[in-house]
Amino acid sequence: MSNNNKSNEELPVKKLILLGVLGALSITQAVTAQEYTAGEKAREIAQQHLIIDTHIDVPYRLFRDWEDVTQATQRGDFDYVRAKQGGLNVPFMSIYIPANLEQTPGASYQLAHQLIDSMEALAWRAPDKFAMAYSVDDVLKHQEQGLISLALGMENGSPIEGDLANLQTFYDRGIRYITLAHSESNHIADSSYDIRRQWNGLSPFGKELVKEMNRLGVMIDISHVSDDAFWQAVETSAVPVIASHSSLRAFTPGFERNMSDDMIKKLAETGGVIMINFGSSFVTQQANRYGDIIRKQIAAINEQYGKGSDEAEQRIAAVRTKNPFPFASLEQVLDHIDYVKNLVGIDYIGIGSDYDGVGDSLPVGLKDVASYPNLVQGLLDRGYSEADIKKILNENLIRVWREVEAYAAQQ
């Protein structure tokens, strides 16, 4: 979620997501802006082949700041016009539930239904542009019809509220993956961001939930969960799991929200897919640690000159001007894809951009949903074949989704 879309009490946690973990690092200037121009072949690939992005935060964005995304919009990373320009066919719309709502019985459940309602309303208002998608077959049918499929993933399992009947309810409403936890541990699993590890992985109910998700045909998403919860989810699940919007810890040491090499190897061994997150703080160590460094400088200024004083405000403004956010580049996102390919192979990589979820931290060259051809061009430039690119754009995720559907059909 973007900071702009968050309530104030949610901002500290999201800043951890956007700005990274603690640590000292010298701040350098941001990546020099440059234009990435996709060639004709890259644009053709993006338009001809299905593009699935498993994490786009439109529902909560519109809940906080509504605008008509069936038309070109002034704000946000997604609208219909840009999605068509970029070749996006299947945005998994994130039914994002703030972690603190779990403390209020019924609040998570209610919000989840409201956000699902909003996506159904979007498809109803523009049936010539969008359609709800509940299966791989739906996605393929909509592609033939020229429609953008709105698939649904629930980011944070708190709306389940400890009742498996609620899982059935949300499956019936179209939820096809669930991120077990978010920024705080919940009744299902420990969070990678939460120092409290009350379950040391999954709760007893969480293990039961994973099995029931398998039975119904809901993909298990291990983005956001603790390492122990990841290992237990993979061990418990009878089918492959996904990381709907994660990148690699090799590039951000100490950032548990990203995946380690051993986790990626296990994910691949069991047939799962890591969907690469585009947010700069997921991609580079410099962006990951930027926020803590800036906060320390601001705290020192406030202590010396008095918080809120004219002198302090001027000096803080100067610090921000001198040290702009160090945006990652498209090339650095491609480095993550290369790393996974070299570690476990091409069959376990997908796209989970986190558009509309990481605020203004998106990399140069990947600023919105019109940018997928730039990603394709970068892959072509690095020697990826069209067959390999198709796997990243859709085939790897479809394989997992099909396996999940097939397992559920046999139960």
Short mmCIF file of all heavy atoms in Angstrom, two decimals, residues 95-104 108-109 154-163 178-207 209-210 213 221-226 229-230 232:
data_model
loop_
_atom_site.label_atom_id
_atom_site.label_comp_id
_atom_site.label_asym_id
_atom_site.label_seq_id
_atom_site.Cartn_x
_atom_site.Cartn_y
_atom_site.Cartn_z
N ILE A 95 -6.96 -7.51 -2.25
CA ILE A 95 -7.93 -7.20 -1.21
C ILE A 95 -7.13 -7.02 0.07
O ILE A 95 -6.98 -7.94 0.88
CB ILE A 95 -9.00 -8.30 -1.11
CG1 ILE A 95 -9.66 -8.53 -2.47
CG2 ILE A 95 -10.04 -7.94 -0.05
CD1 ILE A 95 -10.29 -7.29 -3.09
N TYR A 96 -6.54 -5.83 0.20
CA TYR A 96 -5.60 -5.55 1.28
C TYR A 96 -6.34 -5.18 2.57
O TYR A 96 -7.21 -4.30 2.56
CB TYR A 96 -4.66 -4.41 0.88
CG TYR A 96 -3.96 -3.79 2.07
CD1 TYR A 96 -2.93 -4.49 2.73
CD2 TYR A 96 -4.33 -2.54 2.55
CE1 TYR A 96 -2.31 -3.94 3.84
CE2 TYR A 96 -3.72 -1.98 3.66
CZ TYR A 96 -2.71 -2.69 4.30
OH TYR A 96 -2.11 -2.15 5.39
N ILE A 97 -5.95 -5.83 3.66
CA ILE A 97 -6.58 -5.60 4.96
C ILE A 97 -5.52 -5.13 5.95
O ILE A 97 -4.59 -5.89 6.28
CB ILE A 97 -7.25 -6.88 5.48
CG1 ILE A 97 -8.18 -7.48 4.42
CG2 ILE A 97 -7.99 -6.59 6.79
CD1 ILE A 97 -9.31 -6.58 3.99
N PRO A 98 -5.59 -3.89 6.44
CA PRO A 98 -4.61 -3.42 7.42
C PRO A 98 -4.55 -4.34 8.63
O PRO A 98 -5.58 -4.83 9.12
CB PRO A 98 -5.14 -2.03 7.80
CG PRO A 98 -5.92 -1.58 6.60
CD PRO A 98 -6.55 -2.83 6.07
N ALA A 99 -3.33 -4.57 9.12
CA ALA A 99 -3.12 -5.53 10.20
C ALA A 99 -3.86 -5.15 11.47
O ALA A 99 -4.33 -6.02 12.20
CB ALA A 99 -1.62 -5.66 10.46
N ASN A 100 -3.97 -3.86 11.76
CA ASN A 100 -4.57 -3.46 13.03
C ASN A 100 -6.06 -3.74 13.12
O ASN A 100 -6.63 -3.75 14.21
CB ASN A 100 -4.30 -1.97 13.30
CG ASN A 100 -4.94 -1.04 12.28
OD1 ASN A 100 -5.41 -1.49 11.24
ND2 ASN A 100 -4.93 0.25 12.57
N LEU A 101 -6.71 -4.02 11.98
CA LEU A 101 -8.14 -4.30 12.02
C LEU A 101 -8.46 -5.61 12.71
O LEU A 101 -9.60 -5.83 13.15
CB LEU A 101 -8.72 -4.31 10.60
CG LEU A 101 -8.77 -2.97 9.86
CD1 LEU A 101 -9.51 -3.12 8.55
CD2 LEU A 101 -9.41 -1.88 10.72
N GLU A 102 -7.47 -6.50 12.83
CA GLU A 102 -7.73 -7.78 13.49
C GLU A 102 -8.11 -7.57 14.95
O GLU A 102 -8.74 -8.45 15.56
CB GLU A 102 -6.52 -8.71 13.39
CG GLU A 102 -6.79 -10.07 14.02
CD GLU A 102 -5.92 -11.19 13.49
OE1 GLU A 102 -6.13 -11.61 12.35
OE2 GLU A 102 -5.03 -11.62 14.25
N GLN A 103 -7.75 -6.42 15.52
CA GLN A 103 -8.07 -6.15 16.92
C GLN A 103 -9.54 -5.80 17.11
O GLN A 103 -10.02 -5.76 18.25
CB GLN A 103 -7.19 -5.00 17.43
CG GLN A 103 -5.71 -5.19 17.22
CD GLN A 103 -5.20 -6.52 17.73
OE1 GLN A 103 -5.52 -6.92 18.85
NE2 GLN A 103 -4.41 -7.21 16.92
N THR A 104 -10.26 -5.55 16.03
CA THR A 104 -11.68 -5.21 16.10
C THR A 104 -12.49 -6.30 15.43
O THR A 104 -12.45 -6.43 14.20
CB THR A 104 -11.97 -3.86 15.41
OG1 THR A 104 -11.15 -2.85 15.98
CG2 THR A 104 -13.45 -3.49 15.56
N SER A 108 -12.09 -6.65 9.76
CA SER A 108 -11.37 -7.19 8.60
C SER A 108 -12.35 -7.84 7.62
O SER A 108 -12.26 -7.65 6.40
CB SER A 108 -10.34 -8.22 9.06
OG SER A 108 -9.33 -7.65 9.82
N TYR A 109 -13.27 -8.60 8.15
CA TYR A 109 -14.26 -9.31 7.34
C TYR A 109 -15.09 -8.32 6.54
O TYR A 109 -15.32 -8.49 5.33
CB TYR A 109 -15.14 -10.14 8.27
CG TYR A 109 -16.20 -10.98 7.59
CD1 TYR A 109 -15.88 -12.25 7.09
CD2 TYR A 109 -17.51 -10.53 7.46
CE1 TYR A 109 -16.85 -13.04 6.48
CE2 TYR A 109 -18.48 -11.31 6.85
CZ TYR A 109 -18.14 -12.56 6.37
OH TYR A 109 -19.10 -13.34 5.76
N MET A 154 -6.28 -12.01 -1.60
CA MET A 154 -6.48 -11.36 -0.31
C MET A 154 -5.12 -11.17 0.38
O MET A 154 -4.43 -12.14 0.67
CB MET A 154 -7.41 -12.18 0.57
CG MET A 154 -7.67 -11.56 1.94
SD MET A 154 -8.75 -12.60 2.94
CE MET A 154 -10.33 -12.28 2.14
N GLU A 155 -4.74 -9.91 0.61
CA GLU A 155 -3.47 -9.61 1.26
C GLU A 155 -3.70 -9.44 2.76
O GLU A 155 -4.10 -8.38 3.22
CB GLU A 155 -2.84 -8.34 0.67
CG GLU A 155 -1.44 -8.08 1.21
CD GLU A 155 -0.79 -6.85 0.63
OE1 GLU A 155 -1.51 -5.99 0.07
OE2 GLU A 155 0.45 -6.74 0.73
N ASN A 156 -3.46 -10.51 3.49
CA ASN A 156 -3.67 -10.64 4.93
C ASN A 156 -4.88 -11.52 5.15
O ASN A 156 -6.00 -11.18 4.75
CB ASN A 156 -3.85 -9.29 5.62
CG ASN A 156 -3.82 -9.41 7.15
OD1 ASN A 156 -3.72 -10.51 7.69
ND2 ASN A 156 -3.91 -8.29 7.84
N GLY A 157 -4.66 -12.64 5.81
CA GLY A 157 -5.75 -13.59 6.05
C GLY A 157 -6.63 -13.27 7.23
O GLY A 157 -7.49 -14.08 7.59
N SER A 158 -6.49 -12.09 7.83
CA SER A 158 -7.26 -11.79 9.03
C SER A 158 -8.78 -11.84 8.83
O SER A 158 -9.50 -12.16 9.78
CB SER A 158 -6.84 -10.43 9.61
OG SER A 158 -7.11 -9.37 8.72
N PRO A 159 -9.33 -11.56 7.62
CA PRO A 159 -10.78 -11.67 7.47
C PRO A 159 -11.34 -13.08 7.67
O PRO A 159 -12.55 -13.24 7.85
CB PRO A 159 -11.02 -11.19 6.03
CG PRO A 159 -9.89 -10.27 5.74
CD PRO A 159 -8.73 -10.93 6.42
N ILE A 160 -10.49 -14.09 7.66
CA ILE A 160 -10.97 -15.45 7.91
C ILE A 160 -11.49 -15.57 9.34
O ILE A 160 -12.40 -16.35 9.63
CB ILE A 160 -9.85 -16.48 7.65
CG1 ILE A 160 -9.34 -16.35 6.21
CG2 ILE A 160 -10.34 -17.91 7.92
CD1 ILE A 160 -10.39 -16.54 5.14
N GLU A 161 -10.89 -14.80 10.26
CA GLU A 161 -11.35 -14.70 11.65
C GLU A 161 -11.52 -16.06 12.33
O GLU A 161 -12.45 -16.27 13.11
CB GLU A 161 -12.65 -13.88 11.72
CG GLU A 161 -12.43 -12.43 11.29
CD GLU A 161 -13.60 -11.52 11.62
OE1 GLU A 161 -14.74 -12.01 11.73
OE2 GLU A 161 -13.36 -10.30 11.76
N GLY A 162 -10.61 -16.97 12.00
CA GLY A 162 -10.60 -18.25 12.71
C GLY A 162 -11.73 -19.20 12.36
O GLY A 162 -11.97 -20.18 13.07
N ASP A 163 -12.42 -18.94 11.26
CA ASP A 163 -13.59 -19.73 10.89
C ASP A 163 -13.43 -20.20 9.44
O ASP A 163 -13.46 -19.39 8.51
CB ASP A 163 -14.85 -18.89 11.04
CG ASP A 163 -16.14 -19.69 10.83
OD1 ASP A 163 -16.06 -20.82 10.31
OD2 ASP A 163 -17.21 -19.16 11.16
N ILE A 178 -4.43 -16.21 -0.89
CA ILE A 178 -4.44 -15.48 0.38
C ILE A 178 -3.01 -15.35 0.88
O ILE A 178 -2.30 -16.35 1.04
CB ILE A 178 -5.31 -16.17 1.45
CG1 ILE A 178 -6.78 -16.18 1.02
CG2 ILE A 178 -5.16 -15.47 2.81
CD1 ILE A 178 -7.69 -16.93 1.98
N THR A 179 -2.60 -14.10 1.11
CA THR A 179 -1.34 -13.82 1.79
C THR A 179 -1.59 -14.05 3.27
O THR A 179 -2.38 -13.33 3.88
CB THR A 179 -0.91 -12.36 1.56
OG1 THR A 179 -1.10 -12.02 0.19
CG2 THR A 179 0.53 -12.14 1.96
N LEU A 180 -0.95 -15.04 3.87
CA LEU A 180 -1.37 -15.53 5.18
C LEU A 180 -1.34 -14.45 6.26
O LEU A 180 -2.21 -14.41 7.13
CB LEU A 180 -0.51 -16.72 5.58
CG LEU A 180 -0.58 -17.93 4.62
CD1 LEU A 180 0.33 -19.05 5.09
CD2 LEU A 180 -2.01 -18.42 4.45
N ALA A 181 -0.33 -13.58 6.22
CA ALA A 181 -0.24 -12.47 7.19
C ALA A 181 0.24 -11.24 6.44
O ALA A 181 0.60 -11.30 5.27
CB ALA A 181 0.70 -12.82 8.34
N HIS A 182 0.25 -10.09 7.15
CA HIS A 182 0.79 -8.88 6.54
C HIS A 182 1.86 -8.29 7.44
O HIS A 182 2.84 -8.95 7.75
CB HIS A 182 -0.32 -7.88 6.20
CG HIS A 182 0.15 -6.75 5.34
ND1 HIS A 182 0.32 -5.47 5.82
CD2 HIS A 182 0.53 -6.71 4.04
CE1 HIS A 182 0.79 -4.70 4.86
NE2 HIS A 182 0.92 -5.43 3.75
N SER A 183 1.66 -7.08 7.94
CA SER A 183 2.73 -6.38 8.65
C SER A 183 2.81 -6.73 10.13
O SER A 183 3.74 -6.32 10.81
CB SER A 183 2.55 -4.87 8.50
OG SER A 183 1.26 -4.48 8.94
N GLU A 184 1.82 -7.46 10.62
CA GLU A 184 1.85 -7.95 12.00
C GLU A 184 1.41 -9.41 11.99
O GLU A 184 0.65 -9.84 11.13
CB GLU A 184 0.90 -7.14 12.89
CG GLU A 184 1.26 -5.68 13.04
CD GLU A 184 0.23 -4.90 13.85
OE1 GLU A 184 -0.65 -5.55 14.47
OE2 GLU A 184 0.30 -3.66 13.87
N SER A 185 1.89 -10.16 12.97
CA SER A 185 1.43 -11.53 13.11
C SER A 185 -0.07 -11.53 13.38
O SER A 185 -0.59 -10.63 14.05
CB SER A 185 2.18 -12.23 14.25
OG SER A 185 3.58 -12.24 13.98
N ASN A 186 -0.76 -12.51 12.85
CA ASN A 186 -2.20 -12.61 13.06
C ASN A 186 -2.56 -13.99 13.60
O ASN A 186 -1.68 -14.72 14.07
CB ASN A 186 -2.96 -12.28 11.76
CG ASN A 186 -2.61 -13.23 10.62
OD1 ASN A 186 -2.05 -14.31 10.84
ND2 ASN A 186 -2.94 -12.84 9.40
N HIS A 187 -3.82 -14.36 13.52
CA HIS A 187 -4.23 -15.64 14.09
C HIS A 187 -3.84 -16.82 13.21
O HIS A 187 -4.05 -17.97 13.61
CB HIS A 187 -5.74 -15.65 14.34
CG HIS A 187 -6.59 -15.69 13.10
ND1 HIS A 187 -6.77 -14.59 12.27
CD2 HIS A 187 -7.32 -16.69 12.54
CE1 HIS A 187 -7.57 -14.92 11.27
NE2 HIS A 187 -7.91 -16.18 11.40
N ILE A 188 -3.23 -16.54 12.06
CA ILE A 188 -2.85 -17.58 11.11
C ILE A 188 -1.34 -17.83 11.10
O ILE A 188 -0.88 -18.98 11.09
CB ILE A 188 -3.31 -17.19 9.69
CG1 ILE A 188 -4.83 -17.10 9.64
CG2 ILE A 188 -2.77 -18.16 8.64
CD1 ILE A 188 -5.37 -16.42 8.40
N ALA A 189 -0.56 -16.74 11.10
CA ALA A 189 0.89 -16.88 10.89
C ALA A 189 1.64 -15.69 11.46
O ALA A 189 1.07 -14.60 11.66
CB ALA A 189 1.19 -17.00 9.40
N ASP A 190 2.92 -15.89 11.71
CA ASP A 190 3.81 -14.80 12.09
C ASP A 190 4.20 -14.00 10.85
O ASP A 190 4.36 -14.55 9.76
CB ASP A 190 5.09 -15.34 12.74
CG ASP A 190 4.83 -15.99 14.09
OD1 ASP A 190 3.86 -15.60 14.76
OD2 ASP A 190 5.61 -16.88 14.47
N SER A 191 4.38 -12.70 11.05
CA SER A 191 4.79 -11.79 9.98
C SER A 191 6.29 -11.57 10.00
O SER A 191 6.91 -11.54 11.07
CB SER A 191 4.07 -10.45 10.15
OG SER A 191 4.67 -9.45 9.35
N SER A 192 6.86 -11.37 8.81
CA SER A 192 8.29 -11.09 8.71
C SER A 192 8.65 -9.76 9.36
O SER A 192 9.81 -9.53 9.71
CB SER A 192 8.73 -11.08 7.25
OG SER A 192 8.07 -10.05 6.53
N TYR A 193 7.68 -8.86 9.50
CA TYR A 193 7.93 -7.55 10.07
C TYR A 193 7.75 -7.50 11.58
O TYR A 193 8.10 -6.50 12.20
CB TYR A 193 6.98 -6.51 9.45
CG TYR A 193 7.25 -6.18 8.01
CD1 TYR A 193 6.28 -6.35 7.04
CD2 TYR A 193 8.49 -5.69 7.61
CE1 TYR A 193 6.52 -6.03 5.71
CE2 TYR A 193 8.75 -5.38 6.29
CZ TYR A 193 7.76 -5.54 5.35
OH TYR A 193 8.01 -5.24 4.03
N ASP A 194 7.16 -8.51 12.15
CA ASP A 194 6.75 -8.47 13.55
C ASP A 194 7.78 -9.18 14.42
O ASP A 194 8.08 -10.36 14.20
CB ASP A 194 5.39 -9.16 13.69
CG ASP A 194 4.66 -8.77 14.98
OD1 ASP A 194 5.36 -8.42 15.96
OD2 ASP A 194 3.43 -8.84 15.01
N ILE A 195 8.32 -8.47 15.40
CA ILE A 195 9.33 -9.09 16.28
C ILE A 195 8.67 -10.12 17.20
O ILE A 195 9.35 -11.00 17.75
CB ILE A 195 10.09 -8.05 17.12
CG1 ILE A 195 9.13 -7.26 18.02
CG2 ILE A 195 10.89 -7.13 16.22
CD1 ILE A 195 9.84 -6.33 18.98
N ARG A 196 7.36 -10.03 17.35
CA ARG A 196 6.64 -11.05 18.14
C ARG A 196 6.45 -12.28 17.26
O ARG A 196 5.84 -12.19 16.21
CB ARG A 196 5.28 -10.52 18.59
CG ARG A 196 5.33 -9.27 19.45
CD ARG A 196 3.94 -8.68 19.56
NE ARG A 196 3.43 -8.30 18.23
CZ ARG A 196 2.17 -7.95 18.00
NH1 ARG A 196 1.29 -7.96 18.97
NH2 ARG A 196 1.79 -7.60 16.77
N ARG A 197 6.94 -13.37 17.67
CA ARG A 197 6.77 -14.62 16.92
C ARG A 197 5.93 -15.57 17.78
O ARG A 197 6.42 -16.57 18.31
CB ARG A 197 8.13 -15.21 16.53
CG ARG A 197 8.98 -14.27 15.66
CD ARG A 197 8.30 -13.97 14.33
NE ARG A 197 8.86 -12.84 13.62
CZ ARG A 197 9.80 -12.94 12.66
NH1 ARG A 197 10.29 -14.13 12.34
NH2 ARG A 197 10.23 -11.86 12.05
N GLN A 198 4.66 -15.21 17.91
CA GLN A 198 3.80 -15.93 18.86
C GLN A 198 3.55 -17.37 18.47
O GLN A 198 3.27 -18.21 19.33
CB GLN A 198 2.48 -15.19 19.01
CG GLN A 198 1.70 -15.00 17.72
CD GLN A 198 0.41 -14.23 17.92
OE1 GLN A 198 -0.26 -14.40 18.93
NE2 GLN A 198 0.06 -13.37 16.97
N TRP A 199 3.68 -17.68 17.18
CA TRP A 199 3.40 -19.04 16.72
C TRP A 199 4.66 -19.80 16.34
O TRP A 199 4.59 -20.99 16.07
CB TRP A 199 2.46 -19.00 15.51
CG TRP A 199 1.21 -18.23 15.72
CD1 TRP A 199 0.82 -17.10 15.07
CD2 TRP A 199 0.16 -18.52 16.65
NE1 TRP A 199 -0.39 -16.67 15.51
CE2 TRP A 199 -0.83 -17.52 16.49
CE3 TRP A 199 -0.04 -19.53 17.60
CZ2 TRP A 199 -2.00 -17.49 17.25
CZ3 TRP A 199 -1.21 -19.50 18.35
CH2 TRP A 199 -2.16 -18.51 18.18
N ASN A 200 5.79 -19.11 16.25
CA ASN A 200 7.01 -19.72 15.69
C ASN A 200 6.72 -20.32 14.32
O ASN A 200 7.18 -21.40 13.98
CB ASN A 200 7.57 -20.78 16.65
CG ASN A 200 8.09 -20.17 17.93
OD1 ASN A 200 8.76 -19.14 17.91
ND2 ASN A 200 7.74 -20.78 19.06
N GLY A 201 5.96 -19.57 13.53
CA GLY A 201 5.61 -20.00 12.18
C GLY A 201 4.12 -19.87 11.96
O GLY A 201 3.56 -18.77 12.07
N LEU A 202 3.46 -20.98 11.66
CA LEU A 202 2.00 -21.01 11.51
C LEU A 202 1.35 -21.37 12.84
O LEU A 202 1.90 -22.15 13.63
CB LEU A 202 1.58 -22.04 10.46
CG LEU A 202 2.07 -21.87 9.03
CD1 LEU A 202 1.51 -23.00 8.16
CD2 LEU A 202 1.68 -20.52 8.45
N SER A 203 0.17 -20.83 13.07
CA SER A 203 -0.63 -21.25 14.23
C SER A 203 -1.24 -22.61 13.93
O SER A 203 -1.28 -23.05 12.76
CB SER A 203 -1.74 -20.24 14.50
OG SER A 203 -2.72 -20.29 13.47
N PRO A 204 -1.74 -23.31 14.94
CA PRO A 204 -2.47 -24.56 14.65
C PRO A 204 -3.61 -24.33 13.67
O PRO A 204 -3.82 -25.15 12.76
CB PRO A 204 -2.98 -24.98 16.04
CG PRO A 204 -1.95 -24.42 16.99
CD PRO A 204 -1.56 -23.10 16.39
N PHE A 205 -4.35 -23.22 13.82
CA PHE A 205 -5.41 -22.91 12.86
C PHE A 205 -4.82 -22.62 11.48
O PHE A 205 -5.41 -23.00 10.47
CB PHE A 205 -6.23 -21.71 13.33
CG PHE A 205 -7.28 -21.30 12.32
CD1 PHE A 205 -8.46 -22.01 12.19
CD2 PHE A 205 -7.08 -20.20 11.49
CE1 PHE A 205 -9.42 -21.65 11.25
CE2 PHE A 205 -8.03 -19.83 10.55
CZ PHE A 205 -9.21 -20.55 10.43
N GLY A 206 -3.65 -21.96 11.44
CA GLY A 206 -3.02 -21.66 10.16
C GLY A 206 -2.71 -22.92 9.36
O GLY A 206 -2.89 -22.96 8.13
N LYS A 207 -2.24 -23.96 10.05
CA LYS A 207 -1.95 -25.22 9.37
C LYS A 207 -3.23 -25.86 8.84
O LYS A 207 -3.26 -26.42 7.74
CB LYS A 207 -1.20 -26.16 10.31
CG LYS A 207 0.18 -25.66 10.68
CD LYS A 207 0.86 -26.54 11.71
CE LYS A 207 2.23 -25.96 12.08
NZ LYS A 207 2.92 -26.74 13.14
N LEU A 209 -5.87 -24.15 8.04
CA LEU A 209 -6.32 -23.28 6.95
C LEU A 209 -5.60 -23.61 5.65
O LEU A 209 -6.22 -23.63 4.58
CB LEU A 209 -6.08 -21.82 7.33
CG LEU A 209 -6.48 -20.78 6.27
CD1 LEU A 209 -7.99 -20.77 6.06
CD2 LEU A 209 -5.98 -19.39 6.65
N VAL A 210 -4.31 -23.85 5.71
CA VAL A 210 -3.55 -24.19 4.51
C VAL A 210 -4.15 -25.43 3.84
O VAL A 210 -4.35 -25.47 2.61
CB VAL A 210 -2.06 -24.41 4.85
CG1 VAL A 210 -1.34 -25.11 3.69
CG2 VAL A 210 -1.38 -23.09 5.18
N MET A 213 -7.41 -24.47 2.24
CA MET A 213 -7.16 -23.72 1.01
C MET A 213 -6.83 -24.67 -0.13
O MET A 213 -7.31 -24.50 -1.26
CB MET A 213 -6.03 -22.71 1.23
CG MET A 213 -6.42 -21.53 2.11
SD MET A 213 -5.01 -20.50 2.62
CE MET A 213 -4.54 -19.76 1.04
N ASP A 221 -0.12 -17.88 -0.42
CA ASP A 221 0.87 -16.84 -0.69
C ASP A 221 1.72 -16.63 0.56
O ASP A 221 1.21 -16.29 1.62
CB ASP A 221 0.16 -15.55 -1.08
CG ASP A 221 1.12 -14.38 -1.26
OD1 ASP A 221 2.32 -14.63 -1.50
OD2 ASP A 221 0.66 -13.22 -1.17
N ILE A 222 3.04 -16.80 0.39
CA ILE A 222 3.94 -16.70 1.54
C ILE A 222 4.70 -15.37 1.58
O ILE A 222 5.59 -15.20 2.42
CB ILE A 222 4.90 -17.90 1.60
CG1 ILE A 222 5.67 -18.11 0.28
CG2 ILE A 222 4.13 -19.17 1.97
CD1 ILE A 222 6.78 -17.15 0.02
N SER A 223 4.36 -14.41 0.71
CA SER A 223 4.91 -13.08 0.89
C SER A 223 4.45 -12.55 2.26
O SER A 223 3.33 -12.82 2.69
CB SER A 223 4.41 -12.13 -0.21
OG SER A 223 5.00 -12.44 -1.45
N HIS A 224 5.33 -11.82 2.91
CA HIS A 224 5.04 -11.16 4.20
C HIS A 224 5.23 -12.06 5.41
O HIS A 224 5.37 -11.54 6.53
CB HIS A 224 3.64 -10.55 4.26
CG HIS A 224 3.51 -9.23 3.56
ND1 HIS A 224 4.05 -8.08 4.08
CD2 HIS A 224 2.91 -8.89 2.41
CE1 HIS A 224 3.78 -7.08 3.26
NE2 HIS A 224 3.11 -7.54 2.23
N VAL A 225 5.20 -13.37 5.28
CA VAL A 225 5.27 -14.20 6.48
C VAL A 225 6.73 -14.39 6.93
O VAL A 225 7.67 -14.16 6.17
CB VAL A 225 4.61 -15.58 6.28
CG1 VAL A 225 3.16 -15.41 5.86
CG2 VAL A 225 5.37 -16.44 5.28
N SER A 226 6.90 -14.82 8.17
CA SER A 226 8.23 -15.09 8.70
C SER A 226 8.84 -16.29 7.99
O SER A 226 8.15 -17.08 7.34
CB SER A 226 8.14 -15.37 10.20
OG SER A 226 7.48 -16.61 10.43
N ALA A 229 7.29 -19.48 9.15
CA ALA A 229 5.96 -19.68 8.57
C ALA A 229 6.06 -20.14 7.12
O ALA A 229 5.27 -20.97 6.66
CB ALA A 229 5.15 -18.39 8.66
N PHE A 230 7.04 -19.62 6.38
CA PHE A 230 7.26 -20.08 5.01
C PHE A 230 7.53 -21.58 4.98
O PHE A 230 6.88 -22.33 4.23
CB PHE A 230 8.44 -19.34 4.37
CG PHE A 230 8.99 -20.04 3.16
CD1 PHE A 230 8.38 -19.89 1.93
CD2 PHE A 230 10.10 -20.87 3.25
CE1 PHE A 230 8.87 -20.56 0.81
CE2 PHE A 230 10.60 -21.53 2.15
CZ PHE A 230 9.98 -21.38 0.91
N GLN A 232 6.94 -23.90 7.12
CA GLN A 232 5.82 -24.72 7.56
C GLN A 232 4.69 -24.72 6.52
O GLN A 232 4.03 -25.75 6.32
CB GLN A 232 5.32 -24.22 8.91
CG GLN A 232 6.30 -24.48 10.03
CD GLN A 232 5.94 -23.77 11.32
OE1 GLN A 232 4.77 -23.46 11.58
NE2 GLN A 232 6.94 -23.49 12.16
#
